Amino acid sequence: KRKIEMTKAIRIIIICVLALVVATIGVAAVRTLDFDPPVTLLLNGEGDIYVEYGQEYTEQGAVATLSDAQEKVPVTIVGQADTSRVGDYLIKYIASFGGHTTTAYRCVHVIDSEVPVITLTSDPKSYTLIGEAYREEGFMARDNYDGDLTDQVVKTILGNKIIYSVSDSSGNSVEVVRNIVYYDPYPPQIVLEGKTSITLNYGEAYVEPGYSATDN
């Protein structure tokens, strides 16, 4: 009887121990789930950022926290913006904790909003004769991103004006106007035929030898 009672007691103890172990494991599992919530990831600043070509881009980063505990989680940043080239650059932000991964994205737009510059060459003493075509004195066009655009300049003549226009690869356009100076400093020329001095006898009729007049 004592052996049977001891055996029963041992069995009861084992059952109790197993029950305690199972309960402990269950609590641990529940606690693990409680402290393994999804990750909240928020960008600092705007999701779309516009940076002028050639200027420095400053990474604003992101903040990741556990949704329940508000504990901060490290953020990994993948990608970068190259401000030496116009274009759109996608930057990825990754935050992971306890098997949960959250990602966010930011697009950095490197733009060129500066217009090209057209420089006209001119001589303040030069002019165009009335009735003659204007002789180009020279011009050049440069862009901060595309470089030399002189060969892409379009000339349009409107009356006494010439409009020079050009656009760069980003669609920035500019126009410059040259006023044509029409001037004629030379008077007409009269050429007499025959002698410039004629002697006539009294009563003799004058006969015109002839003349011509021309203008440049």
Side-chain angles (χ1 to χ4, degrees), residues 202-215:
Y202 174 74
E204 183 180 356
Y206 169 75
V207 179
E208 174 61 53
Y211 55 86
S212 63
T214 58
D215 184 70

Side-chain angles (χ1 to χ4, degrees), residues 44-119:
N44 294 326
E46 300 294 329
D48 285 278
I49 295 180
Y50 294 85
V51 182
E52 193 69 28
Y53 158 73
Q55 293 184 357
E56 183 179 357
Y57 166 68
T58 302
E59 175 57 56
Q60 300 184 38
V63 176
T65 57
L66 300 182
S67 298
D68 294 343
Q70 295 300 313
E71 180 182 349
K72 288 188 176 181
V73 177
V75 178
T76 301
I77 302 176
V78 179
Q80 58 183 357
D82 182 7
T83 59
S84 66
R85 294 182 64 86
V86 171
D88 299 326
Y89 299 87
L90 192 64
I91 299 178
K92 183 178 182 180
Y93 303 82
I94 306 171
S96 299
F97 184 84
H100 293 279
T101 299
T102 302
T103 58
Y105 297 89
R106 188 197 314 274
C107 188
V108 180
H109 308 274
V110 179
I111 61 173
D112 169 29
S113 61
E114 186 173 339
V115 299
V117 176
I118 298 177
T119 304

Side-chain angles (χ1 to χ4, degrees), residues 2-216:
R2 289 182 180 179
K3 289 183 179 181
I4 294 173
E5 291 177 357
M6 288 182 63
T7 301
K8 289 181 179 180
I10 292 173
R11 288 179 179 176
I12 292 172
I13 293 173
I14 293 174
I15 291 172
C16 291
V17 171
L18 290 175
L20 181 61
V21 170
V22 171
T24 303
I25 293 175
V27 172
V30 171
R31 287 180 179 176
T32 301
L33 291 175
D34 288 342
F35 288 89
D36 188 18
V39 179
T40 300
L41 180 59
L42 298 176
L43 297 179
N44 294 326
E46 300 294 329
D48 285 278
I49 295 180
Y50 294 85
V51 182
E52 193 69 28
Y53 158 73
Q55 293 184 357
E56 183 179 357
Y57 166 68
T58 302
E59 175 57 56
Q60 300 184 38
V63 176
T65 57
L66 300 182
S67 298
D68 294 343
Q70 295 300 313
E71 180 182 349
K72 288 188 176 181
V73 177
V75 178
T76 301
I77 302 176
V78 179
Q80 58 183 357
D82 182 7
T83 59
S84 66
R85 294 182 64 86
V86 171
D88 299 326
Y89 299 87
L90 192 64
I91 299 178
K92 183 178 182 180
Y93 303 82
I94 306 171
S96 299
F97 184 84
H100 293 279
T101 299
T102 302
T103 58
Y105 297 89
R106 188 197 314 274
C107 188
V108 180
H109 308 274
V110 179
I111 61 173
D112 169 29
S113 61
E114 186 173 339
V115 299
V117 176
I118 298 177
T119 304
L120 302 180
T121 302
S122 62
D123 181 358
K125 296 181 180 180
S126 68
Y127 57 87
T128 300
L129 289 174
I130 298 174
E132 291 190 1
Y134 169 75
R135 295 181 180 179
E136 180 59 58
E137 298 172 74
F139 59 89
M140 65 178 298
R142 289 197 61 83
D143 183 65
N144 65 318
Y145 184 71
D146 297 328
D148 190 3
L149 296 176
T150 303
D151 59 348
Q152 298 183 35
V153 173
V154 176
K155 295 192 335 180
T156 304
I157 301 177
L158 295 175
N160 64 338
K161 296 182 178 181
I162 301 179
I163 301 175
Y164 302 79
S165 59
V166 71
S167 298
D168 62 16
S169 60
S170 297
N172 303 306
S173 60
V174 65
E175 289 186 352
V176 175
V177 178
R178 185 200 297 275
N179 292 312
I180 303 175
V181 179
Y182 289 102
Y183 180 58
D184 180 7
Y186 303 104
Q189 300 294 317
I190 299 176
V191 178
L192 301 178
E193 296 180 6
K195 296 179 180 180
T196 58
S197 178
I198 298 176
T199 302
L200 297 175
N201 292 323
Y202 174 74
E204 183 180 356
Y206 169 75
V207 179
E208 174 61 53
Y211 55 86
S212 63
T214 58
D215 184 70
N216 64 321

